[in-house]
Amino acid sequence: VRTFGRPRVVVSSCLGFEACRYNGVGLPDALVKRLEPFVDFVPVCPEVEIGLGIPRPTLRVLETGGGLRLVQPATARDLTEEMVAFGRAFLQRVGPVDGFLLKSRSPSCGLHDVKVYAGAASPAPLRRASGFFAREVREAFPTKAAEDEGRGKNFAIREHFLTGLFASADLRGLVAKPSLDALVRFHSTYKLVLMAYSQKGMRLLGRIVAHTDGRPAAALVEEYALHFHEALQRAPRCTSHVNVLQHAFGYFKEELSPREKQHFLRTLDKYRDAKVPLSVPLALVRAWVERFETAYLADQVYFEPYPDALLEITDSGKGRDL
Ligand code: SF4
């Protein structure tokens, strides 16, 4: 049975922790609720932290000759410096973090899709950008899992986000108690995850584990951690998952009947053609891992990268791919 580290996640307070939005309400979020038993949340409301009240006049991101600015049109206050200074100070003192779940489209918290206007009264946005607190998050923690709550409704995005959170928490456990044995074990159990995410990263990490050159375990683990986070930065493509599943399928070729094999290959085609989600071929392989007691595959994080209780079948309908 896989044991999970407990990710520490910075979250926008309005997503179910405080009624701190500009209009004095909160916005409870289903993913936050489901995650609650498995993660330690660190809620923060950057706008309240810089001294804006609840309720408060809304903020806007403006395009100016001097770059993007965060302003409050109703009071003509420019809050750019305050927000940047708060973001930097908060992120410096926040301690170990495995990821960020932030409110979408907010001029402070939104990681994507924040409207940028030409002026305080312009009706239509010029373009989209990140919010000001979110920009500091990206700057301070470029390799950590970070998502807007809205995008978390998409299956592939959520899968990537949750995998990153729990992998980072596992890795923190290794960094806290570094040993060569633990590093070898970690790398071995993450083999298929790395194969799906980045073959190049997998090879690089394999070399770190194999060629220790007598270096202390703590230094090796530190180098490994750096490259591990980099390897997991971009979500795997569908074709990468197909490769991993075919690789795993190879372990059962002798045991399976021709009909079972055909059924699996047809399922894989359906996944490739976006007719079924990844969980469908994955469930077949997981069942065979149990049935044939394939020790190497049973240890692979790939088959349960985060607690099964976090799986859900609903999707935003925005498609499987990022
Ligand atoms: S989006 Fe961010 S700044 Fe706005 S209310 Fe939520 S936590 Fe506060």
Side-chain angles (χ1 to χ4, degrees):
V1 177
R2 167 144 155 68
T3 53
F4 295 93
R6 204 172 162 82
R8 198 161 175 266
V9 183
V10 173
V11 60
S12 295
S13 290
C14 59
L15 296 177
F17 298 87
E18 253 192 279
C20 56
R21 295 192 75 211
Y22 69 95
N23 54 1
V25 302
L27 209 64
D29 180 71
L31 181 56
V32 169
K33 268 261 145 315
R34 273 206 319 284
L35 274 169
E36 234 157 16
F38 304 100
V39 314
D40 291 325
F41 278 124
V42 183
V44 61
C45 176
E47 292 180 16
V48 168
E49 292 291 336
I50 64 167
L52 303 179
I54 309 171
R56 58 186 171 275
T58 52
L59 306 188
R60 255 190 182 197
V61 178
L62 296 190
E63 182 102 64
T64 70
L68 296 182
R69 308 294 297 178
L70 182 66
V71 302
Q72 192 172 44
T75 60
R77 285 180 70 191
D78 185 326
L79 297 153
T80 311
E81 266 77 43
E82 277 106 313
M83 185 57 83
V84 169
F86 164 72
R88 285 183 189 161
F90 171 82
L91 295 164
Q92 252 174 29
R93 66 170 186 261
V94 70
V97 166
D98 298 302
F100 297 81
L101 186 52
L102 301 178
K103 170 74 187 73
S104 60
R105 297 192 295 273
S106 149
S108 303
C109 289
L111 284 154
H112 315 269
D113 280 346
V114 178
K115 290 176 182 166
V116 176
Y117 295 89
S122 314
L126 291 173
R127 62 185 178 94
R128 311 268 170 162
S130 301
F132 275 75
F133 176 71
R135 275 168 42 171
E136 296 308 315
V137 165
R138 286 287 195 215
E139 184 83 24
F141 293 94
T143 60
K144 294 286 175 174
E147 261 315 333
D148 281 345
E149 110 289 351
R151 284 168 44 98
K153 294 183 180 76
N154 173 288
F155 181 87
I157 292 174
R158 191 174 56 244
E159 177 91 5
H160 172 53
F161 175 67
L162 295 175
T163 300
L165 283 191
F166 285 89
S168 172
D170 278 353
L171 191 63
R172 255 190 321 111
L174 175 67
V175 172
K177 284 190 194 158
S179 77
L180 200 50
D181 275 2
L183 177 62
V184 169
R185 209 165 41 247
F186 183 95
H187 184 65
S188 155
T189 57
Y190 270 93
K191 228 15 173 321
L192 295 190
V193 170
L194 289 165
M195 192 187 279
Y197 267 88
S198 164
Q199 301 242 2
K200 198 172 146 214
M202 181 182 74
R203 284 192 292 273
L204 172 66
L205 292 163
R207 282 198 295 277
I208 295 172
V209 175
H211 305 292
T212 58
D213 299 327
R215 292 163 64 203
L220 284 170
V221 166
E222 201 178 306
E223 187 188 352
Y224 184 93
L226 186 76
H227 293 293
F228 181 84
H229 279 303
E230 280 170 8
L232 259 62
Q233 250 182 304
R234 247 187 264 138
R237 285 187 312 217
C238 164
T239 49
S240 306
H241 281 302
V242 169
N243 281 344
V244 173
L245 290 165
Q246 278 171 333
H247 172 79
F249 176 59
Y251 281 79
F252 312 111
K253 273 201 172 140
E254 304 303 313
E255 278 90 353
L256 297 173
S257 72
R259 283 174 72 105
E260 283 174 311
K261 287 184 202 171
Q262 272 169 20
H263 175 62
F264 177 72
L265 294 172
R266 272 200 306 271
T267 306
L268 216 48
D269 283 342
K270 283 187 196 159
Y271 167 63
R272 210 185 270 113
D273 296 342
K275 290 187 177 134
V276 297
L278 176 64
S279 53
V280 176
L282 207 52
L284 284 175
V285 178
R286 273 178 75 166
W288 292 330
V289 171
E290 294 295 324
R291 181 169 136 205
F292 300 117
E293 297 179 9
T294 319
Y296 168 69
L297 292 180
D299 284 344
Q300 290 301 310
V301 169
Y302 181 77
F303 295 109
E304 197 182 358
Y306 50 84
D308 275 352
L310 293 171
L311 280 171
E312 62 168 325
I313 50 169
T314 55
D315 198 15
S316 64
K318 285 184 193 153
R320 261 178 346 159
D321 299 318
L322 302 176

